[in-house]
Amino acid sequence: MIAVYSSFFFLLISSVHSTPTISFTPQTLNRSGDIVTIQWTGVESPSDLDWLGIYSPPESPHDHFIGYKFLSDSPDWQTGSGSISLPLTNLRSDYSFRIFRWTQSEINPKHKDHDHNPLPGTRHLLTESNRLKFRLNRPDQIHLSYTDTVNEMRVMFVTGDGEERLARYGEVKERLNNTVKARGVSYERERMCHAPANTTIGWRDPGWTFDAVMKSLKPGVKYYYQVGSESKGWSEIHSFVSRNDDSDQTLAFMFGDMGCSTPYRTFIRGEEESLSTVKWILRDIKSLGNDKAAIVSHIGDISYAKGYSWIWDEFFHQIEPIASKVPYHVCIGNHEYDWPMQPWKPDWAAYVYGKDSGGECGVPYSVKFNMPGNSSEAKVRNLYYSYDMGSVHFVYISTETEFLKGGKQYSFIKSDLESVNRSKTPFVVVQGHRPMYTTSTKGSDIAVRVKMIEHLEPLFVENNVTVALWGHVHRYERFCPISNNTCGERWHGSPVHLVIGMAGKETQPIWEPRPNHPDVPIFPQPARSMYRGGEFGYTRLVADKERLTISYVGNHDGEVHDKVEILASGEVISGGSDDDGKDSSLGSKSEFEVLWYIEGASVMVLGVVLGYLIGFFSRRKREGAGSSNTGRWIQVKNEEET
């Protein structure tokens, strides 16, 4: 009789207290970005602190998650059942999922993410899933860049092993008859210099980065290409337009401080606005057609991985639609390089260069990119280099390594600027991460700015640098033609400086307020600052032999909100802005505005045609409005982190 009662009691308890279960569909994903749906049932007395952990590799300790989602993100979570769908990036290892109970009393105020929010506790595991696999180990994270040779294009990509991979290419999509072998490299955790990059929490196997150079390209021709191998599988077929050394036309999309978005919460903040930046640049690239070459310049603070290596994978997956079509050029920022024992850290910069790289010390940046010039210091590559495109000579510099007079980088900048052929490239654009000029009130960078003005600005002035572009400050700002903190009337001897670190990073600087608009930081202020924008976005550079135009495109609507035109004669023409922060001289342009700059034809000749096109596409845009354009300025966090 006792046994009968015991069995009955067990069944009664089992019916009341069900065991949580977790499953997912599909069981296997094909490629990065595919969506998995995770379902769960039987979570007793659900709490809004219950959470789903995402793990790769599956054997990771409980607190070594890739990311997490609260079960309350599912609409029906209070029933004890629910589901969450999210895209996953191929990290070259399996995934698994775990559900934990986390209580209010267990919140640890010392265990926080980068935004000072408490990280979830792992004491009470409720259930764990099987392993999720990716079907193929095809090449991923494809991105292009120029080399030092005009008729070449470099392609880089990542795989899970170091077996031989190739790049094949040709002018016809169905006949990729040219083949070149790719060189593969990887790196170990021991090369990281500080936590979290060299700890088991931040480190993940980076796979193998392959590098191939497609050679003997015809100028200004569309090429098709793919990477991989017969045994391991090929990528999809992509295309690019080769560089044309005889063309005067230049088109570049330029920004800094973008980062990437993640489909889950993790140890660092995902930059949601980076998705909009990618979206609008893709729009512009698609509008170019099949025969227009363009480049991207991302001037520092690239992925914001901060030592959590899988963020690099998320970043490259996010930019691949752009970087597989046009060369993606970078320069180093504090979040790629800075670490406590870096080789160059003078006394005046003791409080400038800190732990911003999360212990990466430039290693992932050096391996995952291969810029022209082969510059390196202390085994860190891609520090300073230059190349020509159309009518513009582009120069990239490092503000994180020595730039003082007498140093290796200074010598490069001096020699490079003095050797520019101004009849071929009348415009010179210099780019670096920390700004020489900004009206941000953050004080820790003042020492760097003082040294840059003392050592580098004379080179810019003597060699008639046209434009200097900077990141680091997460806003847009355009200055007058300026040297020695004094405005000039022409860019000859007074470069136009722009801060363009507004591509995604949420934390924002505090502007120096203008007396008549103390609470509205988007207005220009003081006199040397011609325009300041509080909106995320990017800049578009278009040039021919006579004119260079830089336009500031806002992410909230994809429209131009400021522009500056610089003539080869030296004249600087500002686009003008009204008190709405919008470029009053532009009106409402269609999304194809970029095309009529690219063509480089006379405005007088094409005026009638362009007028018709503007009206047509503006009308079409109004008729089709309602997608992602809200017409509102996005609120951003007002913080002092860069």
Side-chain angles (χ1 to χ4, degrees):
M1 180 65 70
I2 293 175
V4 172
Y5 280 121
S6 297
S7 299
F8 175 78
F9 181 75
F10 176 77
L11 291 173
L12 180 63
I13 294 298
S14 297
S15 65
V16 175
H17 298 284
S18 58
T19 302
T21 63
I22 185 172
S23 61
F24 54 83
T25 54
Q27 299 299 302
T28 304
L29 301 182
N30 290 320
R31 58 176 60 86
S32 289
D34 282 357
I35 293 176
V36 62
T37 298
I38 304 120
Q39 304 103 359
W40 65 89
T41 61
V43 175
E44 281 290 317
S45 304
S47 160
D48 59 2
L49 290 180
D50 295 339
W51 60 282
L52 171 76
I54 303 158
Y55 293 85
S56 181
E59 56 271 15
S60 300
H62 288 338
D63 60 344
H64 288 24
F65 46 77
I66 293 292
Y68 64 95
K69 301 274 285 185
F70 287 107
L71 300 193
S72 57
D73 288 344
S74 175
D76 48 357
W77 68 276
Q78 291 177 313
T79 67
S81 301
S83 66
I84 289 175
S85 296
L86 70 161
L88 291 179
T89 295
N90 186 353
L91 300 182
R92 302 160 300 281
S93 64
D94 296 346
Y95 279 85
S96 69
F97 311 99
R98 304 170 199 173
I99 290 179
F100 295 89
R101 171 138 295 165
W102 185 33
T103 65
Q104 197 74 31
S105 63
E106 294 171 336
I107 294 177
N108 183 355
K110 295 182 180 180
H111 189 212
K112 297 178 179 180
D113 63 18
H114 278 268
D115 287 329
H116 308 293
N117 298 314
L119 289 164
T122 59
R123 186 178 302 176
H124 309 294
L125 174 67
L126 300 184
T127 185
E128 184 172 0
S129 76
N130 296 323
R131 300 167 77 103
L132 170 69
K133 296 179 178 295
F134 276 85
R135 190 179 308 278
L136 298 172
N137 185 24
R138 298 196 307 179
D140 211 348
Q141 307 180 28
I142 297 170
H143 55 287
L144 302 170
S145 63
Y146 288 147
T147 73
D148 288 315
T149 304
V150 172
N151 65 346
E152 295 180 347
M153 183 71 77
R154 184 183 305 280
V155 57
M156 302 184 74
F157 54 95
V158 172
T159 66
D161 62 72
E163 292 187 21
E164 183 178 87
R165 298 302 200 282
L166 308 169
R168 56 188 185 188
Y169 58 101
E171 296 179 53
V172 179
K173 191 173 185 179
E174 293 74 24
R175 294 199 302 274
L176 306 181
N177 296 330
N178 304 292
T179 302
V180 60
K181 185 177 178 180
R183 180 182 62 91
V185 296
S186 189
Y187 55 92
E188 302 298 328
R189 190 174 86 180
E190 289 71 26
R191 289 187 61 187
M192 305 296 102
C193 58
H194 206 270
N198 63 1
T199 66
T200 54
I201 289 181
W203 171 261
R204 295 295 185 279
D205 183 352
W208 285 73
T209 298
F210 281 86
D211 183 332
V213 176
M214 295 174 278
K215 301 182 178 182
S216 302
L217 305 177
K218 297 177 183 178
V221 170
K222 183 175 183 179
Y223 280 88
Y224 297 91
Y225 74 98
Q226 64 180 168
V227 294
S229 68
E230 295 295 341
S231 62
K232 293 292 186 174
W234 293 92
S235 71
E236 296 177 357
I237 296 177
H238 301 279
S239 66
F240 64 87
V241 177
S242 59
R243 186 163 35 157
N244 185 356
D245 200 37
D246 295 326
S247 173
D248 295 337
Q249 304 301 313
T250 308
L251 175 61
F253 305 102
M254 317 181 84
F255 52 84
D257 306 77
M258 184 169 74
C260 68
S261 174
T262 58
Y264 43 71
R265 295 173 175 87
T266 186
F267 298 94
I268 61 175
R269 178 193 299 149
E271 308 303 342
E272 298 302 314
E273 272 297 319
S274 64
L275 295 173
S276 294
T277 302
V278 169
K279 178 188 73 173
W280 291 120
I281 292 176
L282 269 176
R283 172 204 63 180
D284 288 350
I285 290 174
K286 289 177 181 178
S287 73
L288 297 179
N290 296 325
D291 59 349
K292 299 292 191 302
I295 61 167
V296 167
S297 277
H298 187 161
I299 56 173
D301 286 5
I302 311 297
S303 71
Y304 284 97
K306 297 181 181 178
Y308 297 96
S309 63
W310 63 89
I311 301 300
W312 279 107
D313 295 284
E314 298 286 357
F315 170 79
F316 278 107
H317 171 66
Q318 182 172 304
I319 69 163
E320 186 179 73
I322 293 173
S324 61
K325 293 180 176 67
V326 301
Y328 199 100
H329 285 266
V330 294
C331 66
I332 200 164
N334 52 302
H335 285 293
E336 285 76 58
Y337 181 76
D338 291 6
W339 50 291
M341 301 302 293
Q342 65 190 68
W344 187 69
K345 197 171 184 178
D347 292 341
W348 54 265
Y351 299 102
V352 177
Y353 303 115
K355 302 179 181 180
D356 295 341
S357 76
E360 291 182 354
C361 56
V363 173
Y365 169 83
S366 298
V367 172
K368 293 175 181 294
F369 295 102
N370 190 353
M371 297 292 101
N374 297 316
S375 63
S376 65
E377 292 181 16
K379 299 182 181 180
V380 177
R381 299 194 311 173
N382 310 317
L383 297 177
Y384 42 87
Y385 60 97
S386 66
Y387 59 87
D388 292 341
M389 184 195 184
S391 58
V392 178
H393 180 72
F394 291 100
V395 185
Y396 296 74
I397 68 173
S398 167
T399 59
E400 309 310 299
T401 56
E402 185 174 5
F403 55 78
L404 305 184
K405 188 173 183 178
K408 185 178 176 183
Q409 180 175 199
Y410 179 93
S411 297
F412 163 79
I413 297 171
K414 183 176 187 296
S415 175
D416 185 82
L417 293 179
E418 290 175 349
S419 63
V420 176
N421 181 354
R422 300 308 280 255
S423 62
K424 181 178 182 296
T425 54
F427 301 107
V428 175
V429 175
V430 175
Q431 300 157 85
H433 184 59
R434 296 179 193 259
M436 185 180 294
Y437 286 97
T438 175
T439 60
S440 165
T441 58
K442 183 174 182 179
S444 61
D445 289 325
I446 292 176
V448 176
R449 297 202 294 270
V450 169
K451 293 296 182 182
M452 290 172 72
I453 290 174
E454 177 185 352
H455 292 263
L456 296 183
E457 186 176 60
L459 292 181
F460 294 6
V461 170
E462 292 164 11
N463 293 283
N464 288 321
V465 168
T466 315
V467 174
L469 298 173
W470 314 101
H472 196 59
V473 176
H474 304 151
R475 297 273 183 114
Y476 169 84
E477 182 168 27
R478 172 171 57 84
F479 286 84
C480 61
I482 192 170
S483 62
N484 195 27
N485 284 291
T486 303
C487 288
E489 295 181 358
R490 298 162 61 85
W491 66 265
H492 289 304
S494 296
V496 174
H497 288 252
L498 294 97
V499 177
I500 57 171
M502 69 300 187
K505 183 62 179 175
E506 271 196 356
T507 49
Q508 299 288 343
I510 298 174
W511 287 132
E512 179 185 327
R514 188 172 67 178
N516 55 337
H517 289 95
D519 301 321
V520 190
I522 67 169
F523 292 123
Q525 109 105 36
R528 66 187 183 279
S529 177
M530 308 303 292
Y531 186 96
R532 296 193 302 201
E535 172 62 17
F536 296 104
Y538 62 98
T539 57
R540 213 160 48 200
L541 182 153
V542 181
D544 57 23
K545 282 288 184 71
E546 303 300 324
R547 179 188 306 257
L548 180 147
T549 302
I550 297 180
S551 303
Y552 163 42
V553 181
N555 277 356
H556 70 293
D557 61 1
E559 299 284 349
V560 173
H561 291 271
D562 180 53
K563 76 170 181 179
V564 58
E565 295 179 274
I566 303 173
L567 305 183
S569 64
E571 186 178 0
V572 177
I573 306 169
S574 298
S577 59
D578 56 26
D579 280 352
D580 291 328
K582 212 167 181 181
D583 187 348
S584 60
S585 70
L586 296 175
S588 178
K589 295 286 193 295
S590 82
E591 64 183 36
F592 297 96
E593 176 194 31
V594 65
L595 286 179
W596 35 284
Y597 287 105
I598 296 166
E599 294 302 325
S602 168
V603 173
M604 294 179 64
V605 174
L606 294 179
V608 174
V609 175
L610 294 177
Y612 171 80
L613 289 176
I614 294 168
F616 173 80
F617 286 114
S618 296
R619 201 161 50 248
R620 194 172 91 173
K621 184 173 182 179
R622 286 194 298 271
E623 292 168 357
S627 55
S628 60
N629 297 346
T630 63
R632 296 174 301 187
W633 293 91
I634 297 171
Q635 296 298 309
V636 293
K637 297 181 184 295
N638 187 24
E639 300 178 19
E640 276 294 290
E641 176 194 348
T642 52

